[in-house]
């Protein structure tokens, strides 16, 4: 979880300790001399501002790096972000299951838990359950609750990132407008005894895209991930940042109309999710005499090589590929990643058939169509990264250092 590329420090005396930390985390300046060169600050000023970061426990000295001076001398000591001073909790909700994890600030998963949590049981039940899981993860690893600096949560619905509240979520009955941040923070306190911590909430596909892009495709300036599970959603990362739209509604592919008469869970007819999601495939399998209650059941059937499941998954992939031809033409991404319960060979084959048939050759000339690398951990990784980037952004570093009295 390194700093985002592309940030530039403000030159001269205005460059803050937070901006120095960002330069170190991004790898653009990792010695005192390099920080002086990039910022124009004097050696004494750089030293004073770095001292605040050392006292907070956020920086440490590593092994000697290249010699700063052309005249030679001792190798300059490198500066490193010290990811051991805190930990992050993350959770990823699907409609019927959830995963939670304790992560380091650099993205390593220290402990993980998965199990049944049904979003239709409502936010009180689900968020209280996550609070219990968080306490168990901390106990398992021996980390004190006070070491947690923040919590990240992915949910299967559109999220207003300013408030952390879901907005008219088709698959999250009873959650619309609910104060998820406040309730999850209280659940953490109730089950650990620790004080409140910052909670960030985002759409699950957004966080999966963020995690996958940072882990496997950091140089890709336009990255699209499509999650096909019970529903269908997409996450878009442009120049290292999640693209959410005006109020969190970007990427809601499942409710694009595709000209069918199928009734969708949102109440409309003809949505892509009504005919091509894991839930839609599960219903068709059940109608054909193959019991399947959800996208996860379809995934299990695909893993077992079930021919009817494979045929329906390929058909669903063709429908999604038809829509993605427009997405690719509009966004011109370098990577299109397929994730979720249906992300296997039959579905991917169907996507490619229609995508390359319908999209302009120029739009696909430099496009890689791939499946997820991190799998079920993508959302957790993305949620953890979102928390770290939020808490260690330059402007927030200044606030936190002042609160610590350093």
């Amino acid at each position: 979880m390194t700093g985002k590329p592309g940030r530039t420090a403000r030159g001269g005396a205005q460059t803050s300790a937070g901006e120095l930390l960002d330069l170190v985390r991004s790898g653009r300046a990792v010695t005192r001399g390099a920080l002086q060169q990039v910022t124009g600050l004097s050696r004494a000023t750089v030293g004073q501002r770095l001292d605040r970061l050392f006292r907070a426990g956020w920086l440490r000295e590593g092994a000697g790096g290249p010699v700063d001076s052309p005249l030679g001398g001792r190798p300059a000591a490198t500066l490193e972000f010290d990811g051991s001073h805190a930990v992050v909790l993350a959770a990823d909700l699907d409609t019927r299951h959830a995963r939670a994890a304790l992560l380091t600030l650099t993205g390593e998963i220290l402990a993980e838990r998965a199990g049944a949590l049904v979003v239709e049981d409502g936010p009180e039940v689900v968020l209280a359950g996550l609070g219990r899981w968080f306490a168990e993860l901390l106990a398992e690893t021996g980390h004190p609750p006070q070491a947690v600096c923040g919590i990240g949560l992915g949910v299967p619905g559109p999220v207003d990132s300013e408030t952390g509240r879901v907005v008219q979520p088709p698959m999250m009955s009873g959650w619309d407008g609910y104060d998820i941040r406040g309730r999850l923070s209280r659940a953490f306190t109730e089950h650990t005894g620790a004080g409140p911590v910052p909670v960030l909430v985002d759409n699950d596909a957004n966080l999966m895209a963020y995690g996958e892009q940072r882990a496997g495709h950091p140089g890709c300036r336009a990255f699209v991930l499509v999650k096909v599970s019970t529903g269908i959603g997409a996450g878009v990362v442009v120049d290292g940042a999640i693209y959410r739209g005006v109020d969190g509604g970007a990427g809601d592919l499942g409710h694009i109309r595709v000209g069918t008469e199928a009734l969708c869970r949102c109440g409309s007819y003809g949505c892509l999710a009504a005919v091509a999601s894991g839930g839609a495939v599960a219903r068709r399998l059940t109608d054909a005499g193959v019991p399947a209650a959800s996208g996860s059941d379809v995934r299990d059937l695909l893993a077992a090589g079930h021919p009817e499941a494979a045929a329906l998954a390929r058909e669903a992939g063709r429908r999604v590929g038809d829509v993605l031809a427009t997405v690719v033409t509009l966004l011109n991404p370098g990577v299109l990643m397929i994730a979720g319960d249906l992300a296997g060979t039959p579905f991917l084959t169907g996507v490619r058939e229609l995508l390359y048939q319908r999209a302009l050759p120029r739009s696909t000339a430099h496009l890689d169509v791939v499946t997820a690398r991190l799998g079920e951990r993508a959302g957790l990784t993305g949620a953890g990264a979102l928390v770290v980037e939020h808490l260690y952004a330059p402007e927030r570093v200044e606030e936190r250092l002042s609160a610590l009295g350093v």
Side-chain angles (χ1 to χ4, degrees):
M1 296 182 186
T2 57
K4 293 178 185 176
R7 288 179 183 161
T8 56
R10 298 194 302 267
Q14 297 303 311
T15 306
S16 66
E19 288 166 316
L20 295 187
L21 180 65
D22 186 63
L23 287 169
V24 173
R25 291 185 63 234
S26 67
R28 289 182 291 137
V30 296
T31 65
R32 286 172 171 79
L35 289 171
Q36 289 174 239
Q37 292 174 2
V38 169
T39 64
L41 296 175
S42 70
R43 179 176 181 178
T45 302
V46 167
Q48 290 168 358
R49 294 181 182 172
L50 290 179
D51 184 59
R52 297 178 68 199
L53 299 170
F54 279 112
R55 282 186 283 143
W58 297 355
L59 270 190
R60 66 186 175 199
E61 288 192 341
V67 176
D68 278 353
S69 169
L71 301 177
R74 291 184 179 179
T78 59
L79 302 168
E80 300 174 350
F81 178 62
D82 189 345
S84 67
H85 69 270
V87 290
V88 175
L89 285 164
D92 186 19
L93 290 181
D94 207 333
T95 54
R96 302 179 64 84
H97 300 85
R99 304 183 75 86
L102 182 71
L103 302 93
T104 67
L105 297 183
T106 53
E108 178 188 356
I109 293 180
L110 301 173
E112 189 175 1
R113 172 159 181 181
L117 275 181
V118 181
V119 293
E120 289 186 350
D121 288 342
E124 288 288 335
V125 172
V126 172
L127 298 177
L130 288 179
R132 286 192 297 273
W133 287 13
F134 289 158
E136 291 166 1
L137 289 169
L138 289 166
E140 178 184 335
T141 59
H143 283 82
Q146 293 75 18
V148 176
C149 64
I151 298 172
L153 174 65
V155 298
V159 177
D160 182 339
S161 62
E162 293 297 318
T163 65
R165 299 172 188 251
V166 292
V167 182
Q168 300 177 359
M171 297 189 297
M172 299 179 71
S173 177
W175 291 71
D176 187 20
Y178 185 85
D179 182 15
I180 298 175
R181 287 178 179 172
R183 181 65 186 98
L184 188 53
S185 181
R186 291 194 302 275
F188 170 75
T189 297
E190 289 163 5
H191 290 282
T192 66
V197 296
V199 176
L200 299 184
V201 185
D202 211 325
N203 172 262
D204 56 355
N206 283 348
L207 294 181
M208 291 176 70
Y210 197 47
E212 292 279 7
Q213 188 269 342
R214 291 167 67 85
H217 304 273
C220 182
R221 295 184 57 192
F223 178 95
V224 176
L225 178 143
V226 180
K227 179 186 179 185
V228 186
S229 291
T230 301
I232 302 174
V236 179
V237 179
V238 177
D239 289 335
I242 298 171
Y243 178 74
R244 299 181 176 90
V246 174
D247 61 3
D252 204 356
L253 293 184
H255 301 287
I256 291 176
R257 303 294 177 84
V258 292
T260 75
E261 296 302 318
L263 177 64
C264 182
R265 293 181 62 168
C266 72
S268 297
Y269 289 88
C271 294
L272 179 65
V275 293
S277 65
V281 173
R283 288 190 293 274
R284 292 189 63 182
L285 284 168
T286 299
D287 292 343
V290 182
S294 65
S296 60
D297 290 338
V298 178
R299 178 190 60 204
D300 294 341
L301 288 167
L302 290 170
H306 194 283
E308 183 70 13
L312 290 175
R314 182 168 179 171
E315 181 183 334
R318 288 173 59 83
R319 287 185 176 275
V320 173
D322 196 11
V323 171
L324 289 178
T326 300
V327 172
V328 165
T329 301
L330 178 66
L331 297 179
N332 189 211
V335 175
L336 172 62
M337 179 173 285
I338 307 299
D341 292 330
L342 297 192
T345 300
F347 185 86
L348 190 63
T349 298
V351 167
R352 285 174 167 154
E353 286 175 357
L354 263 289
L355 172 63
Y356 287 106
Q357 178 182 328
R358 300 292 171 83
L360 292 172
R362 189 195 181 289
S363 300
T364 58
H366 302 288
L367 175 69
D368 290 329
V369 182
V370 300
T371 52
R373 171 185 174 185
L374 298 177
E376 294 180 333
R377 290 182 164 183
L380 297 173
T381 301
L386 190 71
V387 171
V388 172
E389 292 303 330
H390 173 80
L391 292 178
Y392 294 92
E395 65 278 6
R396 208 153 285 107
V397 163
E398 291 302 307
E399 297 172 6
R400 297 177 65 208
L401 288 174
S402 296
L404 290 170
V406 299

